[in-house]
Amino acid sequence: MQAIAKVILFGEHSVVYGKKALAIPIKELKLRVKKQEGKCYQDEHVEYIKGLVNLKGYLNVQSNIPISRGLGSSAALSIAIARLAGADEKIISTLAEKKAHGNPSGIDSAVISTEKALVFQKGRENIYIDKKIGAYLLIMDSGIQSSTKEAVENVKKLNRMDLIDELGDITEKAIGHFMHDNVYSLGTLMKKAQNILVKLKLSNEKIDRIVKKANYYSLGSKITGSGLGGCVISLFTSKKKANKLRKKIKKEGVVNSWIVSV
C-alpha cells in the first residue's frame, strides 16, 4: 500500500488557531509499505501505528518523501499502514499524528488521504478543489529537519495573534486567487506570508538565503510546513524557469529538489 506527500501553500501555523489553510497533494513523492518475512528494523513510531491497527510481523517501508521536512511524511506513513491493515485511515492517522506532533491541525491527513487540493479549517467541512492553475512549484529541501511540535509550541509562546490574523487574511486572499488562476498574485502573497513567518521566528539563516535567491528567479517563495528548517517552495509560470532555479539553488546547500505542476 502507498500514500503520497502534501504541500501547504498558505496557512501553516495560523491553521492551528482556526484560520483557513490551502494545501495540495504531491503525487510525485510517495511512501510504500508492505509486509516483510523475516526481521528488520522498525522504529518506535512504526511500532506504535502497528499497535493501533493490530498488525503483526515486520513492515518494509520505502519512501522518497523526506522525513521532518513539512511534506507530510508521518501522515503518509500512518495512512499507508492503515490501508495495508484495512483499518480506518482517518482515525489511525489522527491518533498517530497526535502522538508525533502534539497538536496537529489535521490538514496533512486530509490532503494525503483524499489526494485532492483543499481548503482546510478546523471544525469545518473540507472544501476540495479539483483544478490546477497552470503553474509549477519547485520544492527545495534545506537538509534541516524540522519539528512540528517544537515550532507550534514556539509560536504559542510568542503569543502574536496579530501575525496569526495577518496569515489568515493572506490565506483568504490566496484562496480567491487560486480559484481564478491568478498566479502572479499568488507569488506576491507567498512573499508576504514568508515575511510574517520570519517574524514568528520560524526561519533561520539558511532558509533566509534560499528564499532570497529563490525570489530572484521566481514569482514568490516561502517556507512550507512548520518551519525551523524543512522545505522552501517557489512558484513559477513555466517548468523551464523552475529548472533554472533548481540548478542555481544547489549552491545554497539545498540537498534535494522537485518540480511539480500546480
Side-chain angles (χ1 to χ4, degrees):
M1 289 293 173
Q2 69 176 34
I4 62 169
K6 73 90 186 58
V7 156
I8 296 178
L9 292 179
F10 293 91
E12 49 271 279
H13 287 286
S14 55
V15 72
V16 176
Y17 296 87
K19 309 293 185 182
K20 292 178 183 176
L22 176 61
I24 60 172
I26 303 297
K27 297 181 180 180
E28 290 84 349
L29 298 177
K30 295 182 174 71
L31 179 147
R32 295 179 175 88
V33 296
K34 63 181 180 180
K35 292 181 180 179
Q36 176 171 309
E37 292 184 12
K39 293 183 178 181
C40 66
Y41 173 72
Q42 309 274 254
D43 71 19
E44 182 182 343
H45 198 55
V46 171
E47 291 290 353
Y48 175 74
I49 300 168
K50 282 166 57 182
L52 290 176
V53 300
N54 196 28
L55 195 62
K56 308 298 182 183
Y58 291 88
L59 295 180
N60 179 289
V61 181
Q62 295 184 347
S63 175
N64 65 348
I65 307 174
I67 297 171
S68 299
R69 301 294 202 279
L71 301 181
S73 62
S74 63
L77 177 66
S78 60
I79 288 170
I81 293 175
R83 287 172 177 172
L84 181 66
D88 187 317
E89 57 193 65
K90 183 177 180 180
I91 293 174
I92 299 305
S93 183
T94 298
L95 292 170
E97 287 293 273
K98 284 182 178 179
K99 172 77 170 176
H101 303 305
N103 182 33
S105 64
I107 190 170
D108 288 20
S109 300
V111 177
I112 292 169
S113 181
T114 61
E115 300 190 2
K116 292 180 181 178
L118 62 78
V119 175
F120 179 94
Q121 190 173 16
K122 264 188 170 183
R124 302 287 182 89
E125 189 172 341
N126 293 334
I127 302 171
Y128 292 98
I129 306 170
D130 190 18
K131 74 185 298 293
K132 290 202 170 188
I133 61 173
Y136 292 86
L137 270 187
L138 177 62
I139 306 169
M140 296 162 281
D141 183 356
S142 69
I144 303 170
Q145 287 197 339
S146 59
S147 167
T148 299
K149 187 179 290 187
E150 180 184 351
V152 169
E153 282 300 314
N154 287 354
V155 171
K156 184 179 179 180
K157 288 175 184 176
L158 274 179
N159 193 29
R160 290 292 305 273
M161 286 307 299
D162 57 323
L163 298 179
I164 295 297
D165 288 341
E166 282 188 60
L167 281 177
D169 291 342
I170 287 172
T171 302
E172 291 281 1
K173 292 174 183 176
I175 292 166
H177 289 311
F178 189 91
M179 297 304 293
H180 292 92
D181 302 338
N182 296 331
V183 180
Y184 288 91
S185 297
L186 286 171
T188 299
L189 289 175
M190 286 173 72
K191 292 178 181 178
K192 289 182 177 180
Q194 176 62 18
N195 288 337
I196 295 172
L197 293 170
V198 169
K199 291 178 182 177
L200 287 170
K201 303 189 185 304
L202 295 166
S203 189
N204 56 42
E205 186 178 338
K206 186 173 186 179
I207 295 292
D208 289 344
R209 288 201 316 269
I210 293 171
V211 169
K212 183 178 180 180
K213 186 153 193 172
N215 277 338
Y216 183 79
Y217 293 92
S218 68
L219 300 178
S221 305
K222 62 181 284 293
I223 292 166
T224 182
S226 63
L228 302 178
C231 291
V232 172
I233 54 173
S234 293
L235 187 64
F236 299 86
T237 54
S238 73
K239 193 172 184 178
K240 183 178 179 180
K241 291 178 180 178
N243 257 319
K244 187 174 182 180
L245 175 60
R246 190 181 191 184
K247 293 174 183 176
K248 299 280 187 181
I249 204 67
K250 290 179 181 178
K251 294 179 181 178
E252 301 301 331
V254 169
V255 299
N256 211 342
S257 60
W258 306 268
I259 297 173
V260 299
S261 61
V262 183

